[in-house]
Amino acid sequence: MSQVQSVAAPRTRPAPAVAPDLLTAESVTEGHPDKVADFIADSILDAYLAADPAARVAVEVLVKNGFVIVAGEVTAQADIPVERVVRDAIRHVGYLSPDDPFNAQGVEIRQFLSRQSREIARGVGNGKRQGAGDQGLMVGYATSETPALMPLPIVLAHALTRQLATARRAREVDWLGPDGKAQVSVSYADGRPIEVSRIVVSTQHQRGVERATLEAWVRDALLPAALKQWHNPKASVDVNPSGSFVRGGPSADCGVTGRKIVVDTYGGAARHGGGAFSGKDPSKVDRSAAYFARWAARQVLVQGLARRAEVEVAYAIGKADPIALHVETFGTGDQAAATELVRSFDFSPAGIIEQLDLRRPIYRLTTNYGHFGKPGLPWENGA
């Protein structure tokens, strides 16, 4: 007799209706602890590049309670007032109250900065054959679903957090704090966005603000202003789902550079190489090659070769030429032509820096609300 017992067949059920695909992205405000750290790092970078365009800068920042830790490597022909730059950055974000442990005037700033390693400096070099500042994989992406050639969920998530900051600075209401987050889920059909289905907004506020007041303002003012034609009154909305959000920023949570890499890029719609951007000068391909890969992906769409494009490029430290380059059009266009176009571009570190004119103090403009999709940045140019 067989030792295998018979198993009853499962009961059949009607096949469920196929739901539209759902893609979600999040964004954070400039007062989020990690973004405070990123903004300080990019402010230091810009100050060095303004004084010495050839400066080599790799700065990490940690913020918590009343402390700012600045650490990393800097090789430059000029000194900058790091402490003043840090306080000005915190002041710009909006942490001013002396009642808050983390405030521009009161924080204690500790610096642990040294020169770039000689071995790295020798390997990277300068000039036309400048090598990559590190090994790694960088990804650029573009999609035709928005005028910015960016995925709609991340565009809308950034619009919400940017509107939170705008409302706070304009004092549309007098109880908003600098810290905040937003999350947007968009339903897709046949690869195209059809509606915003779910939204989460968490915003710091003053003590004593009733939750009903906050929810009403988000639903009646924030969402229509930020989402515009994509505003869906029937969408599911959660506002401060944990309850009150009085204590925020670095006084409530530790912030570190480079922890918002998906927020900084495509919101999960594309792959990510893993490298962070803020605090790094353009000799670091983590940053510059990711920008150029985005530029290359945009060119595929601008020249009508596909509706979606992803460009992956990989480097070895000290080598000028990429060790790998791949283009994907996801079946939305001419894969061979797109690959030929992208391979015609100069992906060497020196070539990228020259083509995008990256040795300028432009990096504070990139820190918040995404490094891509913003008009005026050189990697967002159409041609």
Side-chain angles (χ1 to χ4, degrees):
M1 185 175 179
S2 171
Q3 298 299 308
V4 179
Q5 297 181 353
S6 63
V7 179
R11 297 175 61 185
T12 59
R13 297 180 181 178
V18 177
D21 291 334
L22 201 65
L23 186 61
T24 301
E26 73 158 339
S27 178
V28 298
T29 65
E30 57 218 56
H32 184 281
D34 293 331
K35 276 295 151 194
V36 174
D38 283 344
F39 190 66
I40 291 172
D42 278 335
S43 297
I44 293 171
L45 170 63
D46 274 1
Y48 272 112
L49 290 178
D52 177 11
R56 294 283 173 83
V57 181
V59 171
E60 309 289 344
V61 176
L62 181 148
V63 291
K64 176 60 181 170
N65 290 335
F67 294 92
V68 177
I69 309 298
V70 179
E73 297 78 46
V74 175
T75 302
Q77 298 301 313
D79 292 324
I80 67 161
V82 172
E83 182 171 325
R84 188 177 73 194
V85 171
V86 171
R87 296 190 191 280
D88 286 348
I90 297 171
R91 191 173 294 111
H92 178 85
V93 171
Y95 286 110
L96 305 174
S97 173
D99 296 330
D100 191 332
F102 188 84
N103 69 83
Q105 191 59 38
V107 295
E108 180 178 339
I109 301 166
R110 297 182 180 177
Q111 300 181 46
F112 301 93
L113 297 172
S114 62
R115 293 178 63 84
Q116 184 182 55
S117 160
R118 290 184 179 181
E119 292 170 309
I120 295 176
R122 185 166 56 247
V124 174
N126 287 294
K128 290 293 184 182
R129 300 309 297 169
Q130 174 180 329
D134 202 349
Q135 71 174 42
L137 168 70
M138 296 86 216
V139 178
Y141 181 74
T143 172
S144 61
E145 65 190 64
T146 65
L149 304 184
M150 289 287 289
L152 182 63
I154 192 68
V155 169
L156 297 181
H158 287 323
L160 282 172
T161 52
R162 189 183 289 111
Q163 187 65 30
L164 279 174
T166 298
R168 171 176 62 89
R169 294 180 186 279
R171 298 189 66 80
E172 292 180 16
V173 291
D174 60 4
W175 38 259
L176 286 172
D179 198 355
K181 292 183 174 183
Q183 188 169 281
V184 177
S185 299
V186 175
S187 296
Y188 284 71
D190 298 323
R192 299 181 185 276
I194 54 175
E195 68 175 6
V196 173
S197 58
R198 297 179 181 180
I199 300 167
V200 181
V201 175
S202 296
T203 181
Q204 187 183 8
H205 58 84
Q206 290 184 4
R207 192 176 304 278
V209 177
E210 295 184 0
R211 189 168 182 178
T213 300
L214 181 60
E215 289 186 355
W217 178 77
V218 168
R219 292 177 182 273
D220 299 339
L222 178 72
L223 298 185
L227 302 183
K228 297 183 171 57
Q229 71 269 26
W230 286 101
H231 176 51
N232 177 14
K234 296 181 179 180
S236 171
V237 180
D238 288 309
V239 180
N240 282 20
S242 68
S244 64
F245 187 179
V246 173
R247 192 177 183 211
S251 295
D253 195 6
C254 180
V256 182
T257 46
R259 289 206 298 200
K260 287 292 176 282
I261 58 176
V262 175
V263 170
D264 286 344
T265 53
Y266 307 103
R271 284 166 282 201
H272 195 289
F277 301 154
S278 290
K280 298 177 181 178
D281 77 80
S283 73
K284 281 71 175 175
V285 286
D286 273 347
R287 187 169 211 164
S288 55
Y291 291 167
F292 194 68
R294 160 67 176 172
W295 181 88
R298 279 180 50 91
Q299 305 318 302
V300 173
L301 272 64
V302 168
Q303 299 196 28
L305 300 178
R307 297 192 308 276
R308 290 172 61 203
E310 187 178 77
V311 175
E312 295 182 4
V313 58
Y315 294 86
I317 187 169
K319 302 294 185 181
D321 296 322
I323 63 171
L325 181 61
H326 175 69
V327 181
E328 177 60 64
T329 57
F330 307 96
T332 67
D334 189 332
Q335 176 80 30
T339 299
E340 182 179 3
L341 173 69
V342 172
R343 289 186 176 277
S344 72
F345 301 144
D346 182 359
F347 276 83
S348 69
I352 291 172
I353 291 169
E354 181 179 355
Q355 290 170 86
L356 298 182
D357 193 12
L358 294 181
R359 291 207 171 278
R360 296 177 289 152
I362 60 174
Y363 297 100
R364 277 169 50 118
L365 302 175
T366 70
T367 313
N368 294 301
Y369 315 114
H371 290 241
F372 306 115
K374 297 176 181 176
L377 296 175
W379 47 93
E380 296 298 319
N381 291 340

